[in-house]
Amino acid sequence: MLNGTDSATVKRELDQLLETYDDDGEHLLKELPLYILEVEKKIPTIFTLTGDVIEVEETFAAEECSASGIRSGKPNLRVVDAGKAVAREIDIAIDRLSRLQRFVLMHVPKEEDGNNFGVAVQGQFYSKLSKYLKWCDAIQDEGKSYHHSRADILRRMELDEKLEYRETVCEKEDKVTKSKATKTVANVPHIGDLTCYLARHDALQYFTLKNIMQGLISMYVHCYVYVKNNYEKIRWPRGRSEGLNMHMY
C-alpha cells in the first residue's frame, strides 16, 4: 500500500504516466525542425535594430544613452525587452531539454556485456543534452549581471545637480567679516566619455543576446541532426524490442 493506494493501482498509474512521457519525448524529437524555424523567425522581430555593433552603439548614444535619456530614469528598453524575450526562449529550451533527457533515461537498457555500441551513442546524446542544459542555466544566471554593471556606470556619472559652497573672508580696519554663498551647479564631469561607455555597454549586451538566439538555433540543429542519424540507437540501443515501435524517419 502507498498512502492508501494498492500496488496494482500504483503500477497502472505509473505505466500510464510513463507512456505519456514516452509519447511526449517522441513528439519533442519530431518537433526539433520546427524549433529551429521558430527561433530563426523570432530573431528579426526581437532585434529590430540593423547594422553592426558600432551603428547600434551610435543609435543608443543618441537616444537611450544620451544625457536626457539617462535623466529620464528609464532603462534601455530595447535591451530590456530583448533580454526578456531571450530569457523566455531559454526557459522553453530548458523545459524541452529536460523532457528529452527523461525520454532517453526511459530507454536505457539493462546493463550487460556486449552489444553496447548503441548504449554508448545513447549516453553521448544524454551527455550533450546535459551540456546544453548547463549552458542555458549559465545564461539565465548571467542575465542579471548586465543590469548590475549598468547601474555601476550610472552611479559614476553623478548626473544630479549639487550645491557648491563658498566662504569669503574680508579684513578691513582691523575687522574681519565672513560671508557664505551657495549656488547650484550641474555635475557633469566626464559625461561625454561615460555616455559613450554606456552606449557601448548596451550595444554589446544587445549583440550578446542576439548571439544567444543564434546559439539556440545551433543547439536545436545539433540535436536534430544527431537524432536524425542515431534515432534507432537512442530509442532501441540494443536493437528493436517489444514496446513502442514508432519510427521517426
Side-chain angles (χ1 to χ4, degrees):
M1 301 286 288
L2 180 63
N3 294 330
T5 305
D6 63 88
S7 58
T9 301
V10 171
K11 184 179 184 305
R12 183 175 63 254
E13 292 179 354
L14 178 60
D15 287 343
Q16 291 173 349
L17 183 59
L18 292 178
E19 186 174 353
T20 300
Y21 288 163
D22 194 77
D23 291 341
D24 180 57
E26 292 281 2
H27 176 75
L28 285 169
L29 294 177
K30 290 180 179 179
E31 293 290 298
L32 283 171
L34 178 61
Y35 303 154
I36 298 168
L37 298 176
E38 282 181 349
V39 178
E40 185 68 45
K41 290 177 181 178
K42 286 179 180 178
I43 289 177
T45 64
I46 295 172
F47 302 94
T48 55
L49 291 178
T50 58
D52 58 24
V53 66
I54 300 301
E55 291 172 307
V56 171
E57 177 185 341
E58 290 172 348
T59 299
F60 287 161
E63 299 176 18
E64 291 86 354
C65 298
S66 65
S68 60
I70 295 167
R71 284 195 174 94
S72 71
K74 296 179 181 179
N76 189 330
L77 292 180
R78 294 181 196 263
V79 178
V80 171
D81 290 343
K84 290 179 180 178
V86 172
R88 281 192 290 269
E89 291 302 315
I90 292 294
D91 277 341
I92 292 171
I94 289 173
D95 176 67
R96 289 169 176 167
L97 292 168
S98 299
R99 288 152 61 197
L100 282 174
Q101 277 192 323
R102 183 170 57 199
F103 174 81
V104 174
L105 289 174
M106 288 177 58
H107 297 287
V108 173
K110 179 181 178 181
E111 293 187 7
E112 58 185 39
D113 294 333
N115 195 22
N116 285 320
F117 178 71
V119 179
V121 172
Q122 186 188 65
Q124 288 176 9
F125 184 55
Y126 185 88
S127 177
K128 294 178 190 298
L129 295 175
S130 297
K131 289 180 180 178
Y132 282 130
L133 269 173
K134 289 181 180 179
W135 175 69
C136 289
D137 288 337
I139 288 173
Q140 295 294 57
D141 287 339
E142 292 171 2
K144 59 182 178 291
S145 64
Y146 157 74
H147 294 285
H148 184 271
S149 57
R150 193 176 197 272
D152 284 341
I153 297 172
L154 292 173
R155 276 193 290 270
R156 291 201 296 272
M157 286 184 168
E158 298 179 347
L159 289 176
D160 294 334
E161 294 182 336
K162 67 177 182 179
L163 293 177
E164 184 178 89
Y165 297 91
R166 179 176 297 176
E167 183 177 74
T168 302
V169 178
C170 180
E171 295 184 13
K172 187 177 181 181
E173 297 178 354
D174 298 328
K175 292 182 179 181
V176 178
T177 58
K178 296 181 179 181
S179 62
K180 292 183 178 180
T182 61
K183 67 176 180 178
T184 302
V185 296
N187 187 23
V188 290
H190 318 300
I191 185 65
D193 287 333
L194 284 171
T195 52
C196 288
Y197 181 42
L198 183 64
R200 171 59 64 90
H201 176 75
D202 283 2
L204 291 176
Q205 178 66 11
Y206 191 80
F207 274 85
T208 295
L209 293 169
K210 193 173 183 178
N211 289 337
I212 289 171
M213 291 291 282
Q214 295 290 352
L216 276 176
I217 293 175
S218 297
M219 179 193 77
Y220 286 132
V221 168
H222 187 191
C223 290
Y224 166 68
V225 172
Y226 195 90
V227 170
K228 182 179 179 181
N229 293 333
N230 300 282
Y231 172 74
E232 291 204 4
K233 292 182 178 64
I234 294 170
R235 179 63 178 80
W236 299 285
R238 289 204 175 100
R240 286 175 176 266
S241 59
E242 293 183 359
L244 295 175
N245 290 316
M246 183 183 297
H247 198 291
M248 285 183 59
Y249 304 99

